[in-house]
Amino acid sequence: YQTARFEYTIDLRLHDSVFLFISIEPGAARIFLARRRMRDLERTSFTPTPFVLQLKKHLSNAEVTAVEQIPGERALRIDLA
C-alpha cells in the first residue's frame, strides 16, 4: 500500500496486523514494523501507482529470508525467496 508520496506499507503476513512501513522521504527516511488494522490501511492508501503494482507483482508470495544493514550505510538489504 502507498500511504503517502514516499511512504509504503508492506503486508508481510505477520501476526496481529503488523506491517513493514518504509519511508523514502528525503531527509526523513525510515523503516519499522507498525501495527495497523487492514481496514484503516486500505482506507488511507492511495490508488496504486505503476511502481506499487510492480512491487506487488514481484513481492506477492515472496518470503523474507534475511534482513541486513549494510555496514557504514543507512541502507538495508532484504533478501526474498
Side-chain angles (χ1 to χ4, degrees):
Y1 299 96
Q2 184 172 4
T3 53
R5 183 173 178 204
F6 296 112
E7 295 178 355
Y8 305 92
T9 305
I10 299 173
D11 184 0
L12 297 176
R13 307 279 189 236
L14 299 174
H15 58 82
D16 297 332
S17 300
V18 176
F19 299 90
L20 181 65
F21 176 84
I22 300 171
S23 173
I24 57 172
E25 182 77 38
R30 59 200 182 277
I31 185 169
F32 57 87
L33 294 175
R35 180 170 283 131
R36 296 190 63 182
R37 292 187 326 194
M38 179 68 80
R39 180 177 25 189
D40 294 340
L41 188 58
E42 289 171 342
R43 189 173 27 140
T44 61
S45 65
F46 288 21
T47 301
T49 62
F51 175 71
V52 170
L53 293 173
Q54 282 286 44
L55 278 178
K56 189 173 185 176
K57 176 182 174 182
H58 292 286
L59 296 180
S60 291
N61 300 316
E63 181 179 324
V64 176
T65 57
V67 178
E68 170 189 9
Q69 182 176 4
I70 299 171
E73 298 288 334
R74 291 183 51 203
L76 287 178
R77 176 186 170 130
I78 302 173
D79 294 334
L80 304 168

